[in-house]
Amino acid sequence: MAKRTIVSLPGDGIGKNVLEETIRVLDAAGFDAEYVEGDIGWEFWRSEGNPLPQRTIDLLGKHKVALFGAITSKPKDAAFEELAPELQEKGLVYSSPIVGLRQHFGLDICLRPCKSYIGNPLNFVKRGVGDVIEEPAVDVAIFRQNTEGLYGGVEWSDPPEKVYDALMTHPKFVKNFGDTPKEEISVSTRIFTKKATERILRAAFDHAKKYGYKSVTVCEKPNVIRETSGMMYKMAQQIQKEEYPNIELWNTNIDAQMMWLTKNPETYGVIVAGNMFGDIVSDGFAGLIGGLGFACSAQFNPDSGVAVFEPTHGSAPKYADYEISIVNPIAMIESACMMLDFINENGIAANIRKAVAEVISEGKVRTYDMMKMRGRADVVDKGAASTTQMADAVIAKL
Ligand code: NAI
Ligand code: MG
């Protein structure tokens, strides 16, 4: 098979460490690829005033598939102060390069699988009947709409007259907020479009069908947020009825779902939600399977095939300067496995996942998070595996 070209976007901090180790694992697993590195992150904000240079966008446009580590972002004042002096007068405003990639390439589907590994000491456990300790096997795939809803950025404080006037046409606005001075009002909108809603629902059902999940759960709040959540659920009912009659459609409210999460997490299969609720429910499930060291994700556009695979965690700046990197590379390795699935290298993905599973179940090699240690430079002296040692252990199993 022709050699694949993969764009590597290490970014900042520990993003660099976990991506480097992951590429070693991919090589060892026999994935025949060439990696071209793209510039992204804080370094490029400081030196060029742009954390996502056009050349990086071009690179991804050309090669389509990227592995992404993590980036650092900082509040407005710090962003300005750290900008190269000659750029400070240019009125540049920092904006997240991840959001930039998402918008530029229309990466509207976000997938965050949460599957527990047997023997992971961080797995969620609970007390069952007769005080027995139960460890539910979690295997959910969360589909989060990635471009709309509360994260769409359509918001105002002290809204412009036209917006205010429009709001005043709604009887509920008049009743509940009509007496409040305009300057004291902040509005964040939650816009759902039929097109994007249909795309995320379809992606969720397709995934359920392809990987044999028996149910798709719409996790929203249609009884209260009637228009947006209501639309999503109604569309889901129609799609299920017409195209996926063999997959059950469930409906949970986000608040109740956060409770069911610890009561019966093993019950759920595919979960689909809007942007905000998808973010919440995926963090909730990630906590059950080991947290940030294990949470992987994909963002993609099914039409163009542009896809970015990344761990959910950030750049953890406090660990970035350790002489020996201590962070867990599994979230990044898992993200790379999602990439392999995406490009139909399922066999290599399965081999890597099997190797990771063996390392975890053996329990001899564990990063500091798996040993419930506080993350400090001396954890390796105290018996925790470094990032490199964890990757080595996985490679040894391959
Ligand atoms: P973070 O995810 O970088 O770190 C939070 C804590 O989680 C760490 O201090 C560490 O204790 C733990 N942790 C993270 N990754 C781990 C790993 N692989 N293994 C073991 N433990 C791990 O989040 P934080 O501290 O809120 O943000 C740091 C920077 O990262 C900020 O500049 C933030 O804007 C950025 N960020 C970037 C993201 C991305 O690139 N997708 C996502 C989240 C935050
Ligand atoms: Mg989040």
Side-chain angles (χ1 to χ4, degrees), residues 94-107:
Y94 179 86
S95 69
S96 160
I98 303 175
V99 177
L101 282 177
R102 219 177 265 171
Q103 287 169 346
H104 185 89
F105 291 103
L107 307 177

Side-chain angles (χ1 to χ4, degrees), residues 12 14-15 18 42 68-75 94 96-98 102 112 290-294 297 299 310-319 326-332 367-370 373-375 387:
D12 302 305
I14 63 162
V18 293
W42 198 247
F68 178 34
I71 50 103
T72 296
S73 60
K74 297 187 186 180
Y94 179 86
S96 160
I98 303 175
R102 219 177 265 171
R112 293 178 173 175
L292 290 175
F294 292 85
S297 82
Q299 307 182 58
E310 56 165 321
T312 304
H313 65 73
S315 61
K318 65 181 176 189
Y319 305 152
I326 64 163
V327 295
N328 192 343
I330 291 175
M332 181 82 240
T367 44
Y368 83 93
D369 54 323
M370 299 174 74
M373 290 177 171
R374 271 190 57 196
T387 311

Side-chain angles (χ1 to χ4, degrees), residues 359-379:
V359 171
I360 293 174
S361 70
E362 259 178 30
K364 286 191 218 142
V365 180
R366 288 175 168 172
T367 44
Y368 83 93
D369 54 323
M370 299 174 74
M371 299 179 82
K372 304 181 190 194
M373 290 177 171
R374 271 190 57 196
R376 295 190 354 196
D378 62 358
V379 293

Side-chain angles (χ1 to χ4, degrees), residues 84-342:
E86 68 275 15
L87 295 172
Q88 290 195 349
E89 304 310 316
K90 296 200 165 174
L92 299 165
V93 181
Y94 179 86
S95 69
S96 160
I98 303 175
V99 177
L101 282 177
R102 219 177 265 171
Q103 287 169 346
H104 185 89
F105 291 103
L107 307 177
D108 63 330
I109 312 292
C110 174
L111 168 57
R112 293 178 173 175
C114 295
K115 188 170 178 184
S116 47
Y117 276 108
I118 293 168
N120 182 354
L122 300 178
N123 282 347
F124 170 68
V125 293
K126 64 178 182 177
R127 211 175 284 277
V129 178
D131 272 0
V132 288
I133 298 298
E134 295 175 354
E135 191 173 317
V138 177
D139 179 6
V140 301
I142 294 146
F143 280 80
R144 166 193 179 193
Q145 206 295 324
N146 217 18
T147 47
E148 305 191 329
L150 272 174
Y151 290 36
V154 183
E155 48 184 6
W156 304 268
S157 286
D158 186 8
E161 289 293 346
K162 273 189 182 165
V163 173
Y164 185 76
D165 291 347
L167 290 169
M168 284 297 269
T169 64
H170 199 296
K172 289 228 170 98
F173 186 85
V174 176
K175 180 163 172 265
N176 296 325
F177 310 104
D179 295 337
T180 308
K182 190 171 83 67
E183 325 67 84
E184 290 179 24
I185 289 175
S186 291
V187 184
S188 300
T189 64
R190 186 176 201 262
I191 300 171
F192 281 30
T193 64
K194 275 201 166 150
K195 187 175 168 198
T197 305
E198 186 177 333
R199 282 166 65 90
I200 193 73
L201 288 168
R202 225 172 263 287
F205 277 106
D206 279 349
H207 190 86
K209 190 172 171 186
K210 185 167 174 193
Y211 293 100
Y213 290 96
K214 76 176 198 311
S215 65
V216 169
T217 302
V218 174
C219 177
E220 279 281 323
K221 185 96 183 170
N223 56 332
V224 178
I225 317 176
R226 290 167 188 274
E227 300 307 326
T228 45
S229 296
M231 176 175 86
M232 181 178 265
Y233 185 55
K234 237 187 280 162
M235 290 178 79
Q237 283 177 305
Q238 197 179 350
I239 291 173
Q240 187 267 346
K241 198 169 137 210
E242 288 171 7
E243 295 166 54
Y244 302 90
N246 298 325
I247 296 168
E248 290 174 32
L249 173 64
W250 299 351
N251 176 27
T252 58
N253 287 340
I254 177 68
D255 49 343
Q257 181 71 72
M258 296 315 280
M259 179 187 65
W260 293 119
L261 189 76
T262 51
K263 292 230 176 230
N264 59 350
E266 71 282 7
T267 317
Y268 298 94
V270 172
I271 295 179
V272 58
N275 211 334
M276 175 92 250
F277 296 162
D279 204 11
I280 293 172
V281 75
S282 60
D283 272 11
F285 272 99
L288 305 180
I289 59 135
L292 290 175
F294 292 85
C296 53
S297 82
Q299 307 182 58
F300 56 95
N301 181 319
D303 299 336
S304 66
V306 174
V308 177
F309 300 86
E310 56 165 321
T312 304
H313 65 73
S315 61
K318 65 181 176 189
Y319 305 152
D321 299 329
Y322 289 180
E323 213 164 297
I324 297 173
S325 172
I326 64 163
V327 295
N328 192 343
I330 291 175
M332 181 82 240
I333 294 170
E334 280 288 328
S335 304
C337 290
M338 293 179 78
M339 174 195 76
L340 292 170
D341 284 339
F342 188 81

